[in-house]
Amino acid sequence: MLIDTYGRVATDLRVSLTDRCNLRCTYCMPEEGLQWLAKPDLLTDDEIVRLIRIAVTELGVTEVRFTGGEPLLRPGLVGIVERCAALAPRPQMSLTTNGIGLARTASALRDAGLDRVNVSLDTLRPEVFQALTRRKRHDDVLRGLDAARTAGLTPVKVNAVLMPGLNDDEAPDLLAWAVENDYELRFIEQMPLDAQHGWKRDGMITAGDILTSLRTRFTLTAEDGGERGSAPAERWLVDGGPARVGVIASVTRPFCRACDRTRLTADGQVRTCLFAREESDLRGALRSGAPDEEIARLWRLAMWGKKAGSGLDDPSFLQPDRPMSAIGG
C-alpha cells in the first residue's frame, strides 16, 4: 500500500513514457521545443513493466494512466500495454494523448488491452489550433478521436484548456460538439507547469468562468450531489443527461485532500504531486540490481513524505523545475 501521513492511499499510477512531443502548445513549452532526455536516461520497456508490476502486485495500484510528453511517440507502447494487461490483478489502463497518430494505433491499443483514452483538444477552429499548438494537425486529432470511438476505447474523454484571447469563447461550442459526437468533455484550468514559467493566476480562465459560459446555453446539474471524492473532475449532467461535462479546477478548487495518485517520470523518478519540486529515484535502484522488495520500500518511503497540498495558494509557491512534458500530465 502507498499511504502518506495524511491517510491518503495512492491507487492511481501515472506513467510518463517519454518527454518528447510533436506539438508545441503555448501553455506547455516554447516554440523551439526543449532539451529532450537522452535515451540512456529513459526507462526501458522492461523497466517500465517491472515498476508497474510492482505497483500493481505489491503496492495496491489499480489504475494505470500512460502519459508523456506524447505517449504515442513511444515505439514500444503497444507491447507495454499488452504486458501490463496480463498482470494479475489486471489494472484499468488508459492513455492521455494529443491524438496525433491515434487513427493508426487505436485498434492495436484496444486489442492489446487498453481500456480508454483522454485526448487533448482545445478548439474546434483549425486556425486557433495552429496558434495554440504551433502545428497544422487539427484534422489528425479529429481523425484520432473518431478512431478511438470506433475501436471502443470508451468513454472517449476530451481535455480542453481555455486560454485568454484565443479560445476562451469556445466553451459552449466545444460542449455541443462533444455531446453530438458522444465524447465526454473535461475543461482543465491552465496550471503553472509551462517550461517558460509564464503562467499568471490573474490571467487564467477559471472554473467559475467556464461554468458561467456553459450555462448561457446549457442546464448543468451537479452529478451525485457534487461529491467528487478522489476524482479530479467535478462533473455535471448536461440538460438532464445522459451527457456529462467535467471541470478540473486544480488551481481554484484543488482536490488534494482526496488525492490518490502516484507518478513515475520517463526517467524513473517518483513524484508525489504534479507540482512537487522533489523526486525520488527508482531508476538507480533498478539498475543497481535491487530486488522488488527494495523497490517497493523506496516507493512507499517516497509516498509517505507526500505534502498536504500543492502549495499553489502559498505566496512562496515555486513552479516545478521540470515542465509538464517531462513529468507527465
Side-chain angles (χ1 to χ4, degrees):
M1 179 181 296
L2 293 172
I3 189 169
D4 64 34
T5 56
Y6 299 93
R8 296 169 297 193
V9 178
T11 58
D12 183 338
L13 170 61
R14 304 298 170 103
V15 182
S16 176
L17 298 179
T18 179
D19 61 328
R20 296 173 182 265
C21 190
N22 40 16
L23 296 181
R24 297 292 181 269
C25 297
T26 57
Y27 50 77
C28 185
M29 67 176 71
E31 186 170 5
E32 65 273 15
L34 299 168
Q35 174 103 28
W36 308 125
L37 291 167
K39 187 173 182 180
D41 293 336
L42 295 171
L43 293 175
T44 66
D45 293 1
D46 287 344
E47 288 170 337
I48 290 170
V49 173
R50 183 185 174 195
L51 287 174
I52 293 174
R53 176 177 56 78
I54 292 170
V56 169
T57 62
E58 303 290 334
L59 298 173
V61 164
T62 59
E63 297 181 47
V64 176
R65 172 82 64 86
F66 297 106
T67 71
E70 174 44 54
L72 292 181
L73 295 179
R74 177 87 186 200
L77 172 60
V78 172
I80 291 171
V81 171
E82 187 172 31
R83 291 167 68 184
C84 291
L87 294 173
R90 181 197 185 283
Q92 287 289 306
M93 291 184 294
S94 58
L95 176 82
T96 295
T97 172
N98 62 28
I100 297 173
L102 191 56
R104 65 176 181 271
T105 55
S107 293
L109 287 167
R110 180 61 178 170
D111 291 345
L114 192 71
D115 294 298
R116 62 172 189 81
V117 294
N118 285 40
V119 179
S120 299
L121 180 64
D122 303 321
T123 177
L124 300 176
R125 304 191 295 245
E127 70 278 7
V128 176
F129 182 90
Q130 184 176 351
L132 279 166
T133 68
R134 306 182 177 104
R135 297 291 187 271
K136 293 183 178 181
R137 305 300 297 270
H138 191 256
D139 285 346
D140 293 323
V141 180
L142 294 179
R143 282 193 290 269
L145 279 161
D146 182 65
R149 182 182 54 198
T150 301
L153 293 170
T154 55
V156 176
K157 296 184 178 180
V158 177
N159 296 339
V161 176
L162 299 183
M163 300 290 289
L166 284 172
N167 62 339
D168 52 346
D169 61 336
E170 282 198 70
D173 290 340
L174 280 163
L175 182 52
W177 166 83
V179 170
E180 179 182 354
N181 288 279
D182 199 25
Y183 302 139
E184 184 174 323
L185 181 62
R186 307 187 330 161
F187 292 99
I188 304 175
E189 288 182 338
Q190 184 197 1
M191 294 178 283
L193 293 168
D194 58 307
Q196 315 89 292
H197 288 201
W199 177 86
K200 290 182 175 60
R201 180 186 290 267
D202 58 5
M204 61 175 284
I205 307 300
T206 68
D209 297 331
I210 294 165
L211 292 170
T212 296
S213 179
L214 292 176
R215 285 178 171 133
T216 63
R217 196 182 306 179
F218 303 95
T219 298
L220 303 181
T221 306
E223 186 179 45
D224 298 327
E227 294 295 327
R228 63 180 174 182
S230 60
E234 296 177 86
R235 300 204 306 179
W236 286 263
L237 295 174
V238 179
D239 292 339
R244 295 171 175 82
V245 64
V247 179
I248 300 177
S250 300
V251 177
T252 62
R253 303 179 189 177
F255 45 93
C256 302
R257 289 183 183 178
C259 181
D260 65 351
R261 296 180 182 180
T262 183
R263 299 175 180 275
L264 277 175
T265 66
D267 54 352
Q269 310 300 305
V270 173
R271 293 183 64 85
T272 60
C273 174
L274 196 57
F275 302 104
R277 293 180 63 82
E278 308 84 21
E279 297 177 339
S280 300
D281 181 27
L282 293 187
R283 184 189 63 194
L286 281 173
R287 294 182 179 178
S288 67
D292 289 357
E293 294 78 10
E294 175 62 9
I295 301 295
R297 185 190 71 81
L298 291 172
W299 206 331
R300 289 190 189 99
L301 184 62
M303 294 305 296
W304 183 251
K306 184 172 182 171
K307 295 180 179 179
S310 63
L312 282 170
D313 290 327
D314 189 324
S316 63
F317 172 78
L318 295 174
Q319 289 188 217
D321 291 327
R322 304 176 79 184
M324 184 162 53
S325 61
I327 61 182

